[in-house]
Amino acid sequence: PIPKWLEGAAKKAGVVNIKNDCNNCFKYSIISEIKPNKAVNKNKPEYYKKELAVTTIDFTDVLADDKGVPLHQLPKFEQQNKFAIYVFEVDVNSKDQIIYPVYPSNFKRHYSETVKKGYRVIDLLRLVDGENSHFCRIGSIAKLLHSQLCGAGRDPIHFCRACCGTQTTEEARDNHNLHCHEHDSQRVTYPEPGTRLELKKDVVMKKRRAPYVMYGDFECIMPPSNTSKGTATTLISSHQMCGYALKG
């Protein structure tokens, strides 16, 4: 089940948590994105069982074991079906009330370009309980992650799916993705309150006072100038050094 602290945000974000006991939660979650159940209760498995029998989605290489679907199977599944899948995780037994990414899509280089090329972006939430896991489909990742922000307003926020970092515009997010998505999924962790922090590396030279210090300065005069720089800029003065000083 979805943890109680996450229930409100999950409802706002349209998280579909399909009940099942046959390790088909991953397949049902994918189907709920491609062909959503329009019924009031979207969590009942009967609808998805029928759709799974007639779907054209290639689930050939998705083999679930007793612990669920391993994430290493997703790249091939994405390529076969032209999906871009992002998996976020919550440990239902952990005291840390945090959602963090565990699998950024194999086509993660540029989110907007992924969409333009026709890849269907699918966000999944994996609930982990010991060695077992369960997949849910996320309707709006922005609304789900928005619940983690302290003092978040109503302004649009664009999240990076690899580190859950925030940007104010799509352009800023895409520029961030170009660098962030070159790495694996990231999770920020903080020390427990009251923990004594110690430096891991004892760099003595950065702790001692410098034995010598030197200050430098120079002065300029600014004779008039009338030099064109391009079509819209004219320099009206220039900087010419007229003196300098050093003090140790």
Side-chain angles (χ1 to χ4, degrees), residues 120-187:
R120 183 68 173 263
V121 177
I122 303 176
D123 296 312
L124 300 178
L125 178 66
R126 188 169 73 161
L127 305 176
V128 176
D129 185 1
E131 295 184 351
N132 299 318
S133 64
H134 174 74
F135 283 94
C136 308
R137 196 261 292 179
I138 303 172
S140 172
I141 187 61
K143 290 182 179 179
L144 188 66
L145 295 178
H146 199 276
S147 63
Q148 296 189 152
L149 300 180
C150 296
R154 296 184 178 181
D155 295 334
I157 297 177
H158 302 273
F159 288 89
C160 170
R161 284 169 160 81
C163 70
C164 294
T166 60
Q167 304 293 333
T168 55
T169 64
E170 289 188 16
E171 182 180 3
R173 179 201 59 200
D174 288 341
N175 291 334
H176 166 87
N177 286 355
L178 292 175
H179 305 285
C180 183
H181 281 184
E182 292 180 351
H183 309 283
D184 292 332
S185 296
Q186 303 164 51
R187 176 185 178 183

Side-chain angles (χ1 to χ4, degrees), residues 12-171:
K12 291 181 180 178
V15 173
V16 179
N17 181 15
I18 304 166
K19 316 300 181 186
N20 75 98
D21 55 1
C22 54
N23 286 333
N24 280 335
C25 56
F26 176 82
K27 297 178 181 180
Y28 291 168
S29 297
I30 297 295
I31 291 175
S32 71
E33 171 68 29
I34 305 303
K35 196 169 183 181
N37 184 359
K38 297 181 180 180
V40 176
N41 189 346
K42 298 178 174 58
N43 298 333
K44 292 184 177 182
E46 288 76 13
Y47 169 83
Y48 305 100
K49 288 181 181 179
K50 295 178 181 179
E51 292 297 328
L52 180 60
V54 297
T55 186
T56 58
I57 301 173
D58 188 355
F59 287 109
T60 305
D61 295 300
V62 177
L63 304 174
D65 54 26
D66 294 338
K67 301 177 183 179
V69 175
L71 297 180
H72 67 79
Q73 296 181 4
L74 299 188
K76 189 172 183 179
F77 175 72
E78 288 181 293
Q79 187 175 13
Q80 289 172 334
N81 296 280
K82 213 171 183 181
F83 292 155
I85 297 175
Y86 295 83
V87 181
F88 301 83
E89 189 169 284
V90 168
D91 188 340
V92 298
N93 296 318
S94 174
K95 296 180 180 179
D96 298 331
Q97 298 181 1
I98 186 171
I99 306 163
Y100 49 91
V102 292
Y103 177 83
S105 171
N106 204 36
F107 305 100
K108 61 188 178 182
R109 179 68 178 167
H110 202 304
Y111 176 81
S112 294
E113 288 299 322
T114 300
V115 176
K116 290 178 182 178
K117 290 179 180 178
Y119 287 91
R120 183 68 173 263
V121 177
I122 303 176
D123 296 312
L124 300 178
L125 178 66
R126 188 169 73 161
L127 305 176
V128 176
D129 185 1
E131 295 184 351
N132 299 318
S133 64
H134 174 74
F135 283 94
C136 308
R137 196 261 292 179
I138 303 172
S140 172
I141 187 61
K143 290 182 179 179
L144 188 66
L145 295 178
H146 199 276
S147 63
Q148 296 189 152
L149 300 180
C150 296
R154 296 184 178 181
D155 295 334
I157 297 177
H158 302 273
F159 288 89
C160 170
R161 284 169 160 81
C163 70
C164 294
T166 60
Q167 304 293 333
T168 55
T169 64
E170 289 188 16
E171 182 180 3

